Amino acid sequence: MIVENKYIRFDWAVKRMLRDKANFGVLEGLITVLLGHKTTIQEILESESNQENEDDKFNRVDVKCKNDLGEIFIVEVQLTRQLYYLERILFGVAKTVTEHVHLGHSYSDVKKVYHISIVYFDLGKGADYLYHGQTKFYGVHTHDELIVNTKEEQVIQMKSPSKIFPEYFIIRVNEFNSVAKTPLEEWLDYLKNGIIRDDTTTPGLSEARERLQVMTMSHADRIAYDRHLDAIMVQEDVLSTAKIEGRAEGRAEGRAEGRAEGRAEGRAEGRAEGHKEGREEGLAEGREEGREEANIANARKMKAKGFSIEDIAEITGLSTEAIETM
């Protein structure tokens, strides 16, 4: 039997609940399913989770933990699109590597870092819902994999670079449209649809069934959680409105320019290219203005409904000063 809509969203759980040692089993299960072997979380580390702006505080949440082998895992949830997402992943992993090797220590103290991204937006082209990347070195001519010398416990051993270099998993939640048959698919069903089978034996999900039920939340937590869900709906409305307005403006401008270009055939090719570049720049500016206007409109609605200034700023990305003057 399957019961729907009874479990707390994973992004909220990561932010508020899974940092508690009593709930480590949920994260351990997700990591175990991805790696294909049992992993045990030893501790939660100081996680950057330091967002660069108010909007990022709502859209991004992450947790950093270490397993019993000293390996480090960054589990990050991203709700809305970010243009330089891959660059940020790389920066975060590199920063983690250096943060956990103290000045004067040996390079042997460098630990492997895994980065697990759970994204709820369209991250480029690709048909799969799970992508995995790791570093391996192959001979350009011989195509064999390079294995290097390393010293562990005073013994020289051979090791593949993939055992040291960071490893990446990207879970594209919105691309999952299958019936959950495997442990990984059961996890995706929870991440996307909030569904966990009553008879599940998938690592982490049995713990989630027990600890992440909405009905077990305190009254204060339930109020905060409901506001979080409202904020997600408002954010989706803002983005959808901006997309619709951007498409409408693009079609109108395209038709107008198409007629003008049709009448102006035979003019210099350079001028045509200038029209194209100008149109693209104008559309980009129009979409950005549309998003800004939608954010302002939604901020006014939320203010009228009694949302706090801080909540409105977190959801819309507008400054508290701008909201106060509305």
Side-chain angles (χ1 to χ4, degrees):
M1 177 183 177
I2 298 175
V3 181
E4 297 187 32
N5 301 322
K6 110 183 195 182
Y7 299 104
I8 298 166
R9 282 176 56 100
F10 188 73
D11 59 300
W12 178 269
V14 170
K15 181 183 291 187
R16 298 293 184 95
M17 304 173 71
L18 300 187
R19 301 167 194 267
D20 185 337
K21 191 169 184 178
N23 298 326
F24 280 4
V26 179
L27 274 179
E28 288 174 351
L30 173 60
I31 295 170
T32 293
V33 167
L34 288 174
L35 268 58
H37 59 79
K38 174 68 176 175
T39 189
T40 302
I41 294 177
Q42 187 180 66
E43 63 177 316
I44 298 294
L45 303 171
E46 279 299 320
S47 174
E48 189 175 68
S49 266
N50 294 331
Q51 297 80 7
E52 296 176 359
N53 54 55
E54 290 295 324
D55 185 57
D56 209 22
K57 290 180 181 179
F58 170 73
N59 290 315
R60 173 193 170 196
V61 59
D62 63 5
V63 62
K64 186 163 63 175
C65 56
K66 183 169 69 173
N67 68 3
D68 50 343
L69 301 177
E71 298 170 324
I72 299 172
F73 295 83
I74 303 171
V75 181
E76 181 173 335
V77 183
Q78 179 77 24
L79 297 181
T80 58
R81 180 186 306 277
Q82 185 175 70
L83 288 177
Y84 299 106
Y85 190 68
L86 295 181
E87 289 84 349
R88 200 188 73 200
I89 289 176
L90 177 61
F91 178 83
V93 168
K95 191 169 185 289
T96 297
V97 171
T98 57
E99 280 178 344
H100 293 276
V101 177
H102 299 291
L103 188 64
H105 283 207
S106 167
Y107 288 126
S108 63
D109 290 332
V110 171
K111 297 299 181 183
K112 185 176 177 72
V113 175
Y114 295 85
H115 192 285
I116 301 169
S117 293
I118 301 171
V119 299
Y120 286 82
F121 62 91
D122 182 15
L123 184 64
K125 294 182 179 180
D128 210 330
Y129 56 80
L130 176 66
Y131 287 85
H132 175 221
Q134 60 184 145
T135 302
K136 295 184 178 181
F137 294 93
Y138 293 102
V140 174
H141 304 98
T142 60
H143 306 295
D144 62 321
E145 183 180 354
L146 176 66
I147 307 297
V148 298
N149 294 330
T150 186
K151 187 176 182 179
E152 292 186 5
E153 298 179 356
Q154 307 307 312
V155 177
I156 301 297
Q157 299 179 356
M158 302 298 288
K159 180 178 289 185
S160 166
S162 63
K163 299 294 184 182
I164 295 295
F165 280 74
E167 199 162 331
Y168 304 88
F169 294 88
I170 296 179
I171 301 174
R172 303 165 76 222
V173 176
N174 292 341
E175 298 302 316
F176 175 73
N177 294 302
S178 304
V179 176
K181 297 179 179 179
T182 67
L184 179 60
E185 289 171 344
E186 282 196 48
W187 259 101
L188 264 294
D189 208 14
Y190 164 54
L191 293 175
K192 182 175 182 178
N193 304 313
I195 296 174
I196 303 177
R197 298 183 62 90
D198 283 354
D199 59 352
T200 186
T201 58
T202 293
L205 290 184
S206 55
E207 290 85 354
R209 283 190 66 250
E210 177 184 348
R211 300 180 182 279
L212 302 185
Q213 294 191 31
V214 172
M215 66 179 66
T216 64
M217 300 175 78
S218 69
H219 179 66
D221 284 345
R222 182 61 184 270
I223 291 175
Y225 181 61
D226 287 344
R227 292 182 73 85
H228 177 69
L229 297 181
D230 289 342
I232 290 173
M233 293 178 65
V234 171
Q235 184 81 341
E236 287 296 323
D237 182 59
V238 169
L239 294 175
S240 297
T241 300
K243 287 179 182 178
I244 292 170
E245 291 177 351
R247 291 193 190 102
E249 290 174 7
R251 292 192 192 101
E253 290 183 13
R255 284 194 292 268
E257 291 182 7
R259 295 190 192 100
E261 287 174 6
R263 291 192 294 268
E265 280 185 5
R267 292 178 180 173
E269 188 175 317
R271 186 172 180 181
E273 290 180 0
H275 275 299
K276 181 180 178 181
E277 291 176 3
R279 179 182 175 226
E280 290 174 351
E281 291 176 3
L283 288 176
E285 291 175 3
R287 292 190 187 100
E288 186 61 35
E289 290 175 2
R291 292 190 187 96
E292 181 71 15
E293 290 173 1
N295 274 330
I296 292 171
N298 280 290
R300 289 196 176 106
K301 291 177 185 177
M302 286 185 283
K303 191 173 181 182
K305 290 182 178 181
F307 279 63
S308 70
I309 298 297
E310 291 73 19
D311 284 343
I312 298 172
E314 182 174 327
I315 294 166
T316 64
L318 299 174
S319 68
T320 55
E321 293 80 6
I323 296 168
E324 288 172 350
T325 59
M326 287 182 179

